[in-house]
Amino acid sequence: MIDVKKVDGQILHEVDHPLKSLEIPVELQIDWAKRYQNMQYHTLLHVLSGYMFSQFAALATSSQIEKDYARLELTFPSELPGEITAEKIEEAVNKLLETPHDVKIDTISRDEAEKRAGIIKTTVSLLPPSLSEIRTVEIEMIDEQACGGTHLKNTREIKGFSILQMKKRGKTRMKIKLQLKNQIDELKRQ
């Protein structure tokens, strides 16, 4: 398989060779190491955005997970205090990650979701109006928000991270990197 994309509401899998018929079954395999790393980054982005929301009322404007790092872009209701540095945020969030926090997935009605303060921590609501049920992700005592992505079961699976770069120009952009040393070997032993 080369790619997966959503076109006109349908999920399409692009394969590396032509199929003789659309009726022939195919077998797909998940690259577990890649998916697990994506789950770690995705959960870490929730932890970071939850922390930044609770401490500074920051809202996420975008995020992106790349092969070797992730990016989180935030906007603040007022100027981020100058004494808040990448090092201080990194230290505070890594300290937060020292305690394991369960990650819980739930589905609630749209009405209930709209009543919960902070369920949307982005500058715009990405929830299509047609959704009557909303999937939520709660990281106990850190974050709760609507999300359809893949996540870890507990934050103890994040072994720490570093903020590689933090730029403040209107929006604040953080480039982060997980500490992945020995995690793939640890994953294979499980």
Side-chain angles (χ1 to χ4, degrees), residues 97-159:
L97 289 170
E98 288 175 5
T99 302
H101 300 272
D102 285 332
V103 179
K104 300 172 189 167
I105 309 296
D106 197 7
T107 303
I108 60 176
S109 72
R110 184 183 195 99
D111 289 340
E112 185 180 343
E114 289 175 349
K115 290 175 189 171
R116 288 193 190 175
I119 203 83
I120 304 295
K121 292 184 181 72
T122 54
T123 53
V124 295
S125 176
L126 301 174
L127 302 176
S130 61
L131 287 180
S132 60
E133 291 190 327
I134 308 298
R135 182 177 183 262
T136 62
V137 174
E138 178 186 359
I139 302 174
E140 70 181 347
M141 299 184 302
I142 297 175
D143 185 40
E144 181 184 25
Q145 60 183 296
C147 184
T150 56
H151 304 84
L152 302 170
K153 291 182 180 180
N154 192 290
T155 60
R156 77 173 148 262
E157 297 177 71
I158 301 169
K159 306 300 183 194

Side-chain angles (χ1 to χ4, degrees), residues 46-123:
H46 275 278
V47 171
L48 263 171
S49 65
Y51 174 80
M52 298 303 284
F53 181 79
S54 69
Q55 297 299 308
F56 310 107
L59 294 174
T61 57
S62 68
S63 64
Q64 182 73 37
I65 300 172
E66 300 292 342
K67 181 180 176 188
D68 297 321
Y69 68 92
R71 172 188 57 73
L72 177 63
E73 194 169 272
L74 302 159
T75 187
F76 296 84
S78 59
E79 184 66 29
L80 183 63
E83 70 272 6
I84 303 303
T85 64
E87 293 78 17
K88 287 183 180 181
I89 294 168
E90 181 182 315
E91 181 181 334
V93 173
N94 273 316
K95 180 122 181 90
L96 189 61
L97 289 170
E98 288 175 5
T99 302
H101 300 272
D102 285 332
V103 179
K104 300 172 189 167
I105 309 296
D106 197 7
T107 303
I108 60 176
S109 72
R110 184 183 195 99
D111 289 340
E112 185 180 343
E114 289 175 349
K115 290 175 189 171
R116 288 193 190 175
I119 203 83
I120 304 295
K121 292 184 181 72
T122 54
T123 53

